[in-house]
Structures are given as C-alpha cells and as structure tokens.
Amino acid sequence: MNILITNDDGIRSPALPLLAKWASKLGDVTIAAPKVEQSGKSQAINFIEEVEITKVELTSGLFGYQIDSTPADCVRFATHALDKTFDLVLSGINRGYNLGDDIVYSGTCGAIFEGARMGIRGLAVSADAVNLLEAPDSLDEVWEFIQKNELYAYNPLYNVNIPPKPTGIRITQQGGPYYCDTFLHKDGLLYVQSGEVNQDTGTDPTSDINTVRAGVISVTPLAVTRTALSVFERFKALS
C-alpha cells in the first residue's frame, strides 16, 4: 500500500515522524506537509502564486516534501507531480481535536477531502495537545477496528479523534459546535479571533464530541457531497 502523509500543523510537527513510523508498517510512506502551520485552512488551495517545494530531512533517514501552501495543496502536489499512485491519505496527527461543526474548518480533514477528489481513501487523525505524542500508541487499535469492520467497504473517509488514555473505540456522528468563537479587539485596526470549548454539547452519546469527552476514541465517517439529498430526491421530478 502506498500511503501519503500530510498534516496542517506543519512539517516540523513532532507527531509527524511518529505517524510515519507507524504507517511504515502498512506500506510505503511519502510525506508532503506544509512549510508552516496551516490550521483552519480547510480545503483551500493556492492557484494564484508560485508554490515553493523543498525536500527536507525530518529525522535521521526520514525525508519529506515541504510545501509552502495548504494541506490540500500538499495532496495535490503528491498526486499530480510525483510518479506515484496512492491508496491512502493519512492526515495528522493534529495537535487538538477536530470535532463537530469545526470539521469544516480543519486543514487536517481538508487534506483527506482533497484526496477523495482523486479517488483516494482518507484517514484524518487528531488528539488533544496533552497526549499528542502518546496518540500513536492507539493507532494499532484504530486500524484493527477499521479492518475488522471493513469500514472502507462502506465509505472512503474517516475522522478519528483520540482522547488521553482511551477506554474504547466507537463509530460516531458529527456533533454540533465544539468552540464558541469571538472577535477580540486588540489595538487600532487589529482584531484577533479567539474561542473557548463549548460546554453545552447535549447528551447524545453517539456524537463525536461526547464520545471523546467520555474517554473513547471517535471514528466518524465523512461525506464529500454537499447536496441535500433528501430534498433533491423529493423535488427532482419537478425538472
């Protein structure tokens, strides 16, 4: 299996070599990650300016392509410019959860959505900052869960969030708002966006947010389409 690894924390993320080491058990690994942090860039691409791409050494003997652009562009470079066909885009391990409505902002998830455009399966992985470097210890359990239940036979994209010291793993659905955001006035014309974790997430135990809060690994199937299919099916006869 040919595996493309990327992230949105940047190519110097300490979790990236750990993810690459784990993934090497599954197949051949190629790394293409942003030069600097690209959190919140979703599936954005840069088709206006030239993009700098450099091959760099991450750790002894481990090399990757450093792309001065977004995670989605990292996937685009690897799939369009390298002479390789990939079977899996593995994105992460992100520093901080990607849960609920905030999935739409995530560069981590944006990378696997971009891979899906080329017909490549994807797995986005995130963890709390406090257990970022321990999260790879749970990847065997995650992969076994995926393989045992043949999840890729039903859907090409999954979003995984790993809490500290997890006590289990379950399939979940996307919850609601994970952050409560605001614009803060700093000085003059300058503002900064800030957010706090939403404490009111309801009681649904199947949501990704509540699952992670319960100390359980969340595995959420994601969909690329933005068509409201129930509405389309109801009214398609009109045309």
Side-chain angles (χ1 to χ4, degrees), residues 141-217:
E141 180 182 2
V142 170
W143 192 250
E144 181 181 356
F145 181 82
I146 290 171
Q147 296 298 100
K148 179 181 178 181
N149 294 287
E150 300 180 335
L151 295 189
Y152 280 120
Y154 300 94
N155 195 67
L157 302 177
Y158 291 89
N159 180 42
V160 174
N161 286 272
I162 303 173
K165 297 180 174 56
T167 57
I169 183 168
R170 76 171 65 123
I171 285 283
T172 59
Q173 61 179 320
Q174 180 182 327
Y178 182 59
Y179 288 104
C180 300
D181 302 312
T182 185
F183 269 84
L184 298 177
H185 184 220
K186 298 297 288 184
D187 181 54
L189 302 177
L190 300 179
Y191 288 74
V192 64
Q193 295 194 63
S194 181
E196 296 181 354
V197 174
N198 181 19
Q199 299 302 317
D200 183 13
T201 58
T203 59
D204 186 350
T206 69
S207 82
D208 53 1
I209 299 173
N210 291 334
T211 294
V212 167
R213 284 186 169 171
V216 176
I217 297 171

